[in-house]
Each structure stands twice: as structure tokens, then as C-alpha cells.
């Protein structure tokens, strides 16, 4: 991807005049946030309601071996009360959530803040009744229905820690997360309608729970009313109980540093990590970034197309928008059902003002042609956002021209599950954008570019290296659930004294930032993070597979595709049937998002003499760029490379 902008886009006069933050204000606020973080965040923390005020803003140590991150640590609050109760007096009848179902023939719902309060309290009371209390873990495995938001907010209300598992994950992946977080309850739905098909979520949960502690309860929301198996001793019928449940539930007083949620995400090694976010700092950061990045104003209708199974859904469908008293749209379906105009139909129908999606969706829709967009009235749109992976300039330009008609600033927001909210993004009233650039650090963020091998800080502009952050911000993850050592090892050991993002970046001649992609063994498939090690361990769990190595390769729509090199057990023969079997195997071990795009039979894998797989070489072959393999003389068996090149699949 090129990272030099041919054309740049300054803020419109209207944006510069009316946005929350213009260029001068950004400079002043950014400077203040770096010069005096305590003063800056003390002031910003006033945007939420505290049950007990804090006396200390920040208590942080990034030193490897003694990493601690605390914000507003002796304050107390309740996140659900901040997202709901405090809005009741001023905007009780305002729509909090617009819910758009999978099928356009089903009616959309408008849920007011008052109704959101009642529904959240009911869910909270039902959870309490089945024994969930402060600090207990609750797994949420749900379609994109309002009850998913009620479940999140209900947990927050009673101080339970939620952990959402994307509904596209397999029973095995669900079971691993139930066990890893030692959850008391799984909240699910009978079925998850998506793109006209219905995933049997309850049946998946049944499979997962068969391998978990028998005390784990399963609470079921009736979404379609379809048939499900029922275990009276374990299953709880939410839809039946909801009718009788009380709609009043006092919010629990929570410490600022009490965990709000755990979200499992892929790393470069082994099992997914449980990223832990806490209450006070996370909410302040999600709310501030939501308001400033999207330039959200009272009365706007805001839509983020993510799923609540990902961090984007946490921060920018639920917590950030609701803390700001916004109207946030939740969509159950997919961009191409019933056809490729669905996103734009929804924008027209609900008069969406800010629209936030992923480059992979933009590329897929771009491929369907502009007629699907042109048929819709998109005049309500004021701003467009992207997240999840680097956006290629072609997709950026299409988004800008065809969707935004040249009138909507594009905010390319770079951040991670670990960061809780945006770390780098242009601000619409302040910054000239460049297609493909994440541009500027958000308030309080000190990005540094390091030389990858020495870790020395690279000063000046027009430089490239690994991206680290020099100091903490309130939305930062606090630990890995149950494994603080792994937290320090993953993020603070490679480059001492810094938070290591795992991304590479370039600071251009103007001092603007471009994210160049992961520098570790994490690949980004359709904006979803996937550890290559996870796919490898799924493959080698198959009885016919001896060894596997997985790398990413450039994919037109997905950004990166999954390329697998597989060595079979001796006596096993490669075949198309076996290929299909392995593909299905990985889908059932992890989920459809991990489905291999290419499986190459590899009689041998290139290894160093010490037995380490040379991924650099495998990446080159998968990229069909084997002319520049570099030095292969340290390989134990250089001839395996010739075989892999001869039989490469991506030509
Ligand atoms: C929010 C989210 C994080 C990784 C991150 C980076 C990539 C996200 C990006 C981007 C370039 C952007 N990424 N946004 N790369 N430009 N605007 O996506 O979280 O699922 O944890 O993924 O995604 O590589 O490190 P998560």
C-alpha cells in the first residue's frame, strides 16, 4: 500500500466552524494533555457522574516486572447509571437505541432511554435472582439484538463482569471462554438471524456447556421462537421471566478500577488473551473519543456497523454513545442482505448522521458497483468513519466520493481491543485528511516510533518503525484476565518502558501517522484479528495433520487471507476432499472467520537448524513474491523451498 498522499482533504468551513474541536483547539488540548495529563484527565473525568469522587487521577508504572495502571482509583461510579439513569430527567423519551432487524420486512424498534432503563433493570434483576453478583463473570453469546445491550448494561449495573463471545464463534471457542473466565452464566438466544439464515445459538451453547462445569446456567432470549432443546435444571427462559421482572434495580457502587468487561482477543502465540477493561477510565475515554472523533452533537443519529462481539461494538455502539446520551443504531444483519444497498437503505430510513464501518465492508460493497449507493438518499450523512485495518486509498476514495459525495470528512480511527478507544485519528473539524492515514494522536496519546531491533526511539519525520505508546491513557487495558505476567510479557517486555502495540507505522514528512500493519504473527482478516498460531493449533489437532504453518497473504476484499501450509501424517494422501475436510475442521474448531482461504500440501516446512519455522519465507511464497526470498542458507533443508514455490497456490 502506498503511504504518500496524492491528494489531501482539509476540513470544510462548516466543520471547522462548528465541530467540537477545530485546529487551534486540538493543538491547545493536545498540548495540555501531554504537558499535564493529571490536570487534563481530572477535567475530562467530570463528563461522567461519580458516586464518590476520586482524589488521585493517575497511578501508572510501565516498568517491566512491575507494570500497574490505575486511573481515578479511589473514585466510585456505576457505568450503567452513567449510560442510562442520568439521562432520564433530560432525555427520558429520546431514542437511545434504534434497532434494525436482519430482515427489512420486520419492523425496526426505537428504544427510549426510559425503556432502556426498564429493560436493563429487568435483566439485572433476573441475573441477580439466578445468583449473579458483583465480580461474577457472565458470558454473552448473542445476536445483534437490543437484549445484547441490555445484558451488557445489566451486568454493569450489578457489578458483574461481562465477556462477549462473537456469535460467529464455534461451541469449542465458546467453551474455552466460559472456562477461561470461570463464568456463572451464559446469556444467549434461541437463534441468530443474519443475512436470511439463522445460526442455532442455543444449540451451540448446549454443545459448549456439555464440556463445562454443570453449575453454569444458560439464559435464553427468544429471538425467533424456534425450537430449542431445554434442560430445566440449567436453562433460564429470559423471555418468560422478563414479563414479570421488576423494572427497578439500584445500581451497584463500583470502584473505578473494578473490571467492567473481559474481551478475548488473538495474540501472536497460543490461546486468545482475556483483555480486561475497568470502569471509570474506560468510560471517560470511550465517551470523550465518541463525542470528539465523530463530532457527535445532541440529536444526531449515529451508526456503527460493528458487532458487540468486538471491542468496536463495546466502545462505539454501547458505552461511548450511551454515556453521551446519543441515539445509537444497532443492526442485526449484514451489508449485502437482501442486497448490497442495505447499509444505504438503513442510512436513508433512519436519517443517519455519522456512519462508522470497516474497510473490508467498503471494499466488498465497492465491488458490487455504485448503483446500490446511488439509489439511496444519503443527504443526512455528515461524517464517515473506518476502523479495523489499514484502508487502501482506492476504498478510501470510493467511500469519500460515492458514499460521502465529497461532503463528509472520513475519520480513519486506529486503535485496538487493548486500547479501549481511538488512539490515532484525524478529527473532522481540525485535520486535513490523507487517504489511508490515521493522522494524529488523540488527546493524551504519546506515540513513539522505535527501531525494531534496537528499540531506539526514531526522532524526526519521514521515518518508519514499530509503534509504541510512551504513557498511559484512561482507556488502556489493565491486565490479562488471570495472567498479569502474560500482560507484561506481551506488551511491556520487547520495548522497555513503553506499551508495544504490535503494529508498524510510518511518520510522514508532515509528522502524520500511517499504520503499516502488524509486525507480529497476527493477521487481520476482514478486520478481525486472528493469531496464526490459533489456526495452526486447530489444524494440528486434526488426526491426519502432522504439522502446519499459517501466514497471511493480500486479499482483495478481506485485506488479508489465511494461507496454510500443511504436512500430513505419513500414509495420508492429499486430496480435494481432505482439503475441504480441513477447512470445515478449522471452521468448527474456531469459527467461520478462521476458514482457510488456501491450503498447500507441504511435504516439508522450511526450518532453521534449531527447528524454527521460517515464516518470512512462507509469507513471501504465499504473497507470490518468492523472487526476493533473501538468505535461505541457514535452512536445514533448503530444497523444501523449491517444492513449496513449485506448488504455490496464489499465482
Ligand atoms: C479496533 C480494532 C486491532 C488491530 C490493530 C491494527 C488494526 C485497527 C486500524 C488498524 C490500520 C486502522 N487496525 N484499526 N490498522 N488502520 N484504522 O480493530 O481492534 O480487533 O483489537 O484490532 O487492527 O493492526 O493492531 P482489534
Amino acid at each position: 500500500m502506498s503511504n504518500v498522499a496524492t491528494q489531501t482533504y482539509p476540513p470544510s468551513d462548516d466543520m471547522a466552524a462548528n465541530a467540537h474541536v477545530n485546529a487551534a483547539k486540538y493543538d491547545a488540548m493536545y498540548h495540555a494533555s501531554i504537558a499535564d495529563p493529571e490536570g487534563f484527565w481530572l477535567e475530562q473525568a467530570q463528563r461522567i457522574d461519580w458516586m464518590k469522587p476520586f482524589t488521585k487521577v493517575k497511578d501508572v508504572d510501565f516498568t517491566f516486572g512491575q507494570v500497574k495502571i490505575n486511573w481515578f482509583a479511589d473514585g466510585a461510579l456505576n457505568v450503567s447509571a452513567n449510560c442510562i439513569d442520568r439521562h432520564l430527567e433530560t432525555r427520558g423519551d429520546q431514542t437511545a437505541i434504534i434497532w434494525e432487524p436482519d430482515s427489512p420486512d420486520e419492523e425496526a424498534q426505537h428504544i427510549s432511554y426510559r425503556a432502556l432503563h426498564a429493560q436493563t433493570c429487568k435483566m439485572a434483576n433476573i441475573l441477580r435472582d439466578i445468583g449473579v453478583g458483583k465480580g461474577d463473570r457472565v458470558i454473552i453469546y448473542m445476536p445483534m439484538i437490543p437484549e445484547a445491550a441490555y445484558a451488557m448494561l445489566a451486568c454493569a449495573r450489578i457489578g458483574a463482569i461481562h465477556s462477549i463471545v462473537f456469535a460467529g464463534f464455534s461451541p469449542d471457542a465458546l467453551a474455552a471462554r466460559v472456562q477461561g473466565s470461570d463464568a456463572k452464566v451464559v446469556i444467549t438466544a434461541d437463534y441468530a438471524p443474519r443475512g436470511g439464515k439463522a445460526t442455532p445459538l442455543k444449540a451451540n451453547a448446549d454443545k459448549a456447556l456439555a464440556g463445562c462445569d454443570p453449575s453454569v446456567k444458560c439464559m435464553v432470549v427468544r429471538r425467533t421462537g424456534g425450537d430449542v432443546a431445554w434442560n430445566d435444571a440449567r436453562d433460564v427462559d429470559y423471555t418468560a421471566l422478563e414479563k414479570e421482572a421488576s423494572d427497578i434495580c439500584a445500581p451497584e457502587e463500583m470502584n473505578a478500577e473494578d473490571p467492567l468487561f473481559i474481551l478475548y482477543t488473538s495474540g501472536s502465540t497460543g490461546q486468545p488473551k482475556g483483555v480486561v477493561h475497568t470502569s471509570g477510565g474506560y468510560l471517560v475515554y470511550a465517551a470523550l473519543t465518541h463525542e470528539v472523533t465523530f463530532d457527535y452533537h445532541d440529536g444526531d443519529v449515529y451508526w456503527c456497523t460493528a458487532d458487540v462481539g468486538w471491542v468496536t461494538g463495546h466502545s462505539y455502539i454501547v458505552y461511548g454513545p450511551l454515556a453521551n446520551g446519543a441515539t445509537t443504531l444497532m443492526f442485526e444483519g449484514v451489508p449485502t442482505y437482501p442486497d448490497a444497498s442495505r447499509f444505504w437503505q438503513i442510512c436513508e430510513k433512519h436519517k443517519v448522521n455519522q456512519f462508522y464501518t470497516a474497510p473490508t465492508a467498503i471494499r466488498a460493497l465497492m465491488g458490487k458497483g455504485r448503483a446500490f449507493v446511488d439509489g439511496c438518499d444519503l443527504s443526512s450523512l455528515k461524517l464517515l468513519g473506518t476502523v479495523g485495518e489499514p484502508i487502501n486509498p482506492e476504498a478510501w476514495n470510493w467511500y469519500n466520493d460515492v458514499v460521502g459525495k465529497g461532503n463528509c470528512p472520513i475519520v480513519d480511527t486506529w486503535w485496538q481491543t487493548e486500547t479501549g478507544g481511538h488512539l490515532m485519528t484525524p478529527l473532522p473539524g481540525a485535520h486535513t485528511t490523507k487517504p489511508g492515514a490515521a493522522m494524529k494522536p488523540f488527546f493524551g496519546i504519546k506515540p513513539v516510533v522505535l527501531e525494531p531491533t534496537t528499540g531506539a526511539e526514531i526522532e524526526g519525520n519521514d521515518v518508519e518503525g514499530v509503534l509504541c505508546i510512551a504513557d498511559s491513557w484512561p482507556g488502556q487495558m489493565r491486565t490479562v484476565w488471570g495472567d498479569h505476567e502474560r500482560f507484561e510479557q506481551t506488551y511491556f517486555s520487547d520495548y522497555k518502558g513503553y506499551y508495544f502495540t504490535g503494529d508498524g507505522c510510518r511518520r510522514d514528512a508532515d509528522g502524520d501517522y500511517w499504520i503499516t500493519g502488524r509486525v507480529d504473527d497476527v493477521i487481520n482478516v476482514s478486520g478481525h484479528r486472528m493469531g496464526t498460531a490459533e489456526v495452526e493449533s486447530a489444524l494440528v489437532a486434526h488426526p491426519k495433520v502432522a504439522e502446519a504453518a499459517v501466514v497471511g497473504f493480500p486479499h482483495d476484499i478481506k485485506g488479508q487471507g489465511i494461507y496454510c501450509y500443511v504436512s500430513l501424517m505419513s500414509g495420508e494422501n492429499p486430496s480435494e476432499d481432505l482439503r475441504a475436510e480441513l477447512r470445515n475442521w478449522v471452521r468448527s474448531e474456531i469459527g467461520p472467520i478462521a476458514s482457510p482461504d488456501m491450503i498447500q500440501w507441504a511435504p516439508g516446512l522450511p526450518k532453521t537448524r534449531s527447528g524454527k519455522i521460517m515464516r518470512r519465507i512462507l509469507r513471501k511464497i504465499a504473497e507470490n513474491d518468492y523472487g526476493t526470498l533473501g538468505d535461505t542458507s541457514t535452512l536445514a533443508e533448503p530444497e523444501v523451498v523449491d517444492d513449496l514455490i513449485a506448488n504455490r497456490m496464489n499465482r
Side-chain angles (χ1 to χ4, degrees):
M1 185 188 310
S2 74
N3 49 22
V4 178
T6 45
Q7 203 178 342
T8 60
Y9 299 83
S12 66
D13 294 345
D14 181 43
M15 267 288 171
N18 299 314
H20 290 299
V21 177
N22 61 21
K25 194 164 174 196
Y26 170 82
D27 290 345
M29 285 179 78
Y30 182 72
H31 182 262
S33 73
I34 299 299
D36 175 20
E38 304 234 356
F40 181 86
W41 290 112
L42 169 67
E43 193 183 325
Q44 291 305 325
Q46 308 315 315
R47 64 171 39 248
I48 64 170
D49 285 356
W50 295 87
M51 289 168 158
K52 188 174 141 238
F54 53 85
T55 61
K56 180 139 185 64
V57 174
K58 179 185 178 203
D59 175 23
V60 168
D61 191 345
F62 272 11
T63 311
F64 180 58
Q66 54 188 65
V67 176
K68 64 169 176 186
I69 298 160
N70 294 293
W71 286 89
F72 319 121
D74 58 351
L77 77 161
N78 182 281
V79 168
S80 140
N82 269 287
C83 289
I84 310 172
D85 305 40
R86 68 179 177 139
H87 304 313
L88 291 179
E89 207 174 302
T90 50
R91 53 178 94 235
D93 295 324
Q94 183 203 303
T95 300
I97 298 176
I98 300 175
W99 178 67
E100 174 70 24
D102 184 50
S103 163
D105 300 332
E106 196 179 339
E107 216 170 305
Q109 285 180 25
H110 289 76
I111 298 139
S112 67
Y113 273 93
R114 207 178 309 288
L116 180 62
H117 180 261
Q119 291 301 326
T120 299
C121 287
K122 282 174 177 246
M123 180 85 87
N125 285 323
I126 298 170
L127 284 171
R128 270 197 181 137
D129 284 350
I130 60 173
V132 179
K134 199 165 170 169
D136 289 338
R137 273 79 58 205
V138 172
I139 298 278
I140 299 175
Y141 184 62
M142 298 264 267
M144 282 290 288
I145 54 178
E147 287 81 358
Y150 307 157
M152 296 165 76
L153 293 161
C155 287
R157 199 161 187 91
I158 63 175
I161 305 167
H162 62 69
S163 181
I164 307 190
V165 177
F166 176 56
F169 277 129
S170 68
D172 282 352
L174 174 61
R177 286 151 178 78
V178 174
Q179 289 156 352
S181 65
D182 203 4
K184 268 200 171 166
V185 181
V186 174
I187 308 179
T188 190
D190 47 8
Y191 290 85
R194 217 164 162 255
K197 294 191 232 71
T199 308
L201 284 192
K202 166 67 162 67
N204 284 355
D206 287 343
K207 280 188 206 141
L209 289 173
C212 297
D213 190 292
S215 68
V216 181
K217 296 248 181 288
C218 184
M219 183 155 116
V220 184
V221 176
R222 308 279 183 171
R223 164 64 184 99
T224 66
D227 283 344
V228 290
W230 204 259
N231 172 348
D232 283 328
R234 185 198 67 193
D235 297 340
V236 178
D237 189 335
Y238 167 82
T239 305
L241 293 173
E242 181 265 336
K243 296 188 176 69
E244 307 294 323
S246 159
D247 60 5
I248 295 170
C249 172
E252 195 76 52
E253 184 173 308
M254 303 299 289
N255 182 273
E257 285 298 342
D258 282 335
L260 175 64
F261 65 85
I262 305 168
L263 186 55
Y264 283 83
T265 193
S266 298
S268 50
T269 51
Q271 284 295 310
K273 300 179 283 279
V275 167
V276 176
H277 281 290
T278 58
S279 303
Y282 170 80
L283 193 65
V284 169
Y285 199 75
L288 177 66
T289 47
H290 171 261
E291 181 179 283
V292 171
T293 303
F294 302 115
D295 195 43
Y296 186 87
H297 292 263
D298 240 6
D300 285 345
V301 174
Y302 159 90
W303 180 20
C304 165
T305 70
D307 189 285
V308 291
W310 312 113
V311 72
T312 307
H314 287 65
S315 300
Y316 299 116
I317 294 178
V318 177
Y319 290 119
L322 295 178
N324 290 334
T327 298
T328 180
L329 195 150
M330 234 177 135
F331 174 42
E332 187 180 36
V334 298
T336 49
Y337 177 78
D339 66 37
S341 69
R342 188 66 192 281
F343 271 3
W344 323 121
Q345 299 282 357
I346 296 174
C347 285
E348 173 177 330
K349 176 174 171 187
H350 298 293
K351 302 200 168 39
V352 170
N353 301 117
Q354 291 92 3
F355 177 76
Y356 189 32
T357 196
T360 186
I362 299 168
R363 286 192 297 267
L365 294 174
M366 186 168 86
K368 305 277 181 195
R370 64 177 294 158
F372 288 106
V373 192
D374 290 343
C376 301
D377 175 2
L378 297 183
S379 56
S380 60
L381 288 177
K382 297 196 284 193
L383 173 141
L384 303 172
T386 90
V387 58
E389 54 180 313
I391 181 164
N392 48 313
E394 298 71 30
W396 197 102
N397 286 323
W398 188 84
Y399 202 27
N400 185 52
D401 300 339
V402 177
V403 180
K405 324 288 180 209
N407 296 321
C408 299
I410 297 181
V411 291
D412 179 354
T413 61
W414 170 77
W415 60 296
Q416 312 176 298
T417 305
E418 293 88 338
T419 71
H422 306 147
L423 288 200
M424 289 213 238
T425 176
L427 299 185
H431 299 130
T432 294
T433 57
K434 302 175 180 177
M439 296 299 295
K440 299 286 186 194
F442 195 77
F443 305 137
I445 304 305
K446 268 167 82 172
V448 289
V449 181
L450 303 186
E451 209 284 315
T453 44
T454 64
E457 195 171 329
I458 309 175
E459 313 260 354
N461 291 338
D462 207 4
V463 296
E464 194 165 339
V466 298
L467 176 58
C468 288
I469 311 293
D471 199 357
S472 184
W473 63 98
Q476 184 173 23
M477 77 182 280
R478 302 302 198 251
T479 191
V480 169
W481 180 255
D483 198 348
H484 194 68
E485 212 178 301
R486 187 167 173 205
F487 174 60
E488 297 206 18
Q489 196 65 46
T490 309
Y491 304 104
F492 298 93
S493 68
D494 290 348
Y495 302 102
K496 299 283 185 301
Y498 300 108
Y499 166 76
F500 173 44
T501 65
D503 280 315
C505 94
R506 174 177 165 69
R507 187 163 53 220
D508 71 14
D510 303 324
D512 297 325
Y513 290 88
W514 302 70
I515 305 301
T516 53
R518 301 289 303 196
V519 296
D520 53 11
D521 287 319
V522 172
I523 56 180
N524 195 321
V525 184
S526 300
H528 301 316
R529 263 167 81 159
M530 183 62 49
T532 51
E534 267 174 82
V535 184
E536 285 165 8
S537 57
L539 283 167
V540 295
H542 189 281
K544 294 182 182 166
V545 174
E547 202 171 24
V550 173
V551 296
F553 72 99
H555 187 289
D556 284 349
I557 305 283
K558 300 183 187 179
Q560 279 188 298
I562 302 179
Y563 194 114
C564 310
Y565 297 89
V566 171
S567 302
L568 295 174
M569 295 286 190
S570 63
E572 298 297 344
N573 292 316
S575 68
E576 278 313 309
D577 284 352
L578 183 52
R579 237 190 213 119
E581 186 179 324
L582 291 182
R583 201 169 274 134
N584 284 332
W585 173 265
V586 174
R587 290 168 69 93
S588 71
E589 289 277 301
I590 304 175
I593 56 171
S595 189
D597 293 281
M598 293 191 190
I599 296 177
Q600 176 171 354
W601 307 117
L605 292 171
K607 290 184 187 161
T608 61
R609 277 166 234 258
S610 62
K612 235 177 167 329
I613 295 175
M614 298 274 278
R615 287 161 190 289
R616 176 176 58 81
I617 292 176
L618 294 175
R619 252 180 243 127
K620 289 276 185 194
I621 298 172
E623 287 164 8
N624 200 16
D625 179 24
Y626 55 90
T628 54
L629 280 187
D631 185 13
T632 55
S633 63
T634 55
L635 289 176
E637 295 172 286
E639 56 288 356
V640 303
V641 174
D642 301 328
D643 177 88
L644 293 179
I645 291 173
N647 294 303
R648 70 191 185 280
M649 304 197 58
N650 181 25
R651 291 165 196 259

